[in-house]
Amino acid sequence: DVKVTQSSRYLVKRTGEKVFLECVQDMDHENMFWYRQDPGLGLRLIYFSYDVKMKEKGDIPEGYSVSREKKERFSLILESASTNQTSMYLCASGSQGQGRFEKLFFGSGTQLSVL
Amino acid sequence: AQRVTQPEKLLSVFKGAPVELKCNYSYSGSPELFWYVQYSRQRLQLLLRHISRESIKGFTADLNKGETSFHLKKPFAQEEDSAMYYCALMRTDKLIFGTGTRLQVFP
């Protein structure tokens, strides 16, 4: 069974702190994604990566950065947390078949509260 | 712009009633569409995809290119179908999600 593991289920941080959200997958997937999930707004793509050391901006990258030093790990970084970044963050991974991935596997999410 | 629209935030039905969760898309090429589901306290997971033409847990979804729709249907809702449902569109190897519809099935 594919496992996508997010390091924290709940996180509380203060405004201005640097925040790291970690995600690890164990199925050797090339593609990894970070979404945020907000009521009424659905899932919005923040950043994604198709390979080690590679990253691409999603639809809402402002205030975030990412790191992918190893294939199995994809980190989301909030350089200076703000209250409007309070949200549920979902990591996902997927493998590529015939040029596109078949489906995404999601982590259980990190509920981040910025006070 | 390429996007997915789910017009209903909440859909409430009684057990045994038919269900239709609406999804409309905007895409210039041949779309690849999916339905994902999130049950209470569980991870988001794939329910079905249009290219497979499959029925999962009694749900089906047909791509209608003329109406640019991919509505999710089930003839007889069950209480265990209560969940959050997201329609998603593949856009250059990224999945773009709609805002979601919460389905409540009452006994």
Side-chain angles (χ1 to χ4, degrees):
Chain A
D1 226 13
V2 175
K3 281 241 173 66
V4 180
T5 304
Q6 294 184 232
S7 54
S8 304
R9 186 71 180 94
Y10 299 97
L11 215 49
V12 180
K13 296 292 181 181
R14 297 209 174 272
T15 303
E17 279 193 75
K18 190 168 185 176
V19 181
F20 293 86
L21 302 182
E22 306 288 346
C23 175
V24 177
Q25 50 96 1
D26 65 358
M27 284 301 290
D28 202 36
H29 285 163
E30 302 89 359
N31 307 294
M32 296 189 75
F33 304 82
W34 275 106
Y35 291 88
R36 61 178 284 177
Q37 183 182 31
D38 299 287
L41 297 177
L43 275 75
R44 292 179 291 166
L45 182 62
I46 305 171
Y47 265 97
F48 59 101
S49 169
Y50 293 142
D51 204 349
V52 175
K53 296 195 185 297
M54 178 270 178
K55 60 185 178 184
E56 292 281 348
K57 291 181 180 179
D59 295 321
I60 52 162
E62 296 78 20
Y64 303 93
S65 62
V66 290
S67 171
R68 193 161 182 205
E69 296 296 318
K70 293 185 178 181
K71 191 175 185 180
E72 66 270 19
R73 185 180 297 270
F74 192 36
S75 303
L76 180 69
I77 304 157
L78 286 67
E79 296 290 343
S80 176
S82 63
T83 54
N84 62 14
Q85 292 178 311
T86 291
S87 185
M88 172 67 82
Y89 289 88
L90 297 180
C91 176
S93 73
S95 65
Q96 209 124 9
Q98 297 179 336
R100 47 186 72 246
F101 52 84
E102 294 298 307
K103 70 176 184 179
L104 289 185
F105 295 87
F106 281 86
S108 53
T110 296
Q111 179 63 52
L112 173 67
S113 297
V114 182
L115 306 178
Chain B
Q2 297 156 345
R3 65 164 61 96
V4 174
T5 303
Q6 293 180 253
E8 302 144 327
K9 286 189 177 179
L10 174 66
L11 184 63
S12 299
V13 301
F14 286 101
K15 177 182 171 182
V19 168
E20 182 178 71
L21 298 164
K22 291 185 167 46
C23 172
N24 289 91
Y25 66 90
S26 170
Y27 190 71
S28 54
S30 290
E32 280 189 60
L33 289 150
F34 305 79
W35 278 98
Y36 277 75
V37 61
Q38 189 169 29
Y39 301 102
S40 179
R41 290 185 291 277
Q42 292 189 29
R43 299 174 186 222
L44 193 62
Q45 59 187 289
L46 177 68
L47 180 62
L48 56 79
R49 47 196 153 185
H50 93 270
I51 56 172
S52 301
R53 297 184 177 273
E54 57 203 344
S55 173
I56 303 293
K57 299 185 179 183
F59 284 98
T60 58
D62 292 318
L63 178 62
N64 186 323
K65 290 187 179 181
E67 295 183 358
T68 59
S69 68
F70 188 57
H71 302 328
L72 184 68
K73 300 177 184 178
K74 185 169 183 176
F76 307 104
Q78 303 298 315
E79 288 179 71
E80 55 265 31
D81 296 328
S82 295
M84 194 73 182
Y85 291 81
Y86 292 96
C87 184
L89 168 70
M90 181 79 77
R91 189 185 77 190
T92 52
D93 292 340
K94 303 180 291 293
L95 266 187
I96 304 302
F97 288 83
T99 51
T101 298
R102 179 166 298 283
L103 174 64
Q104 288 182 333
V105 182
F106 295 109

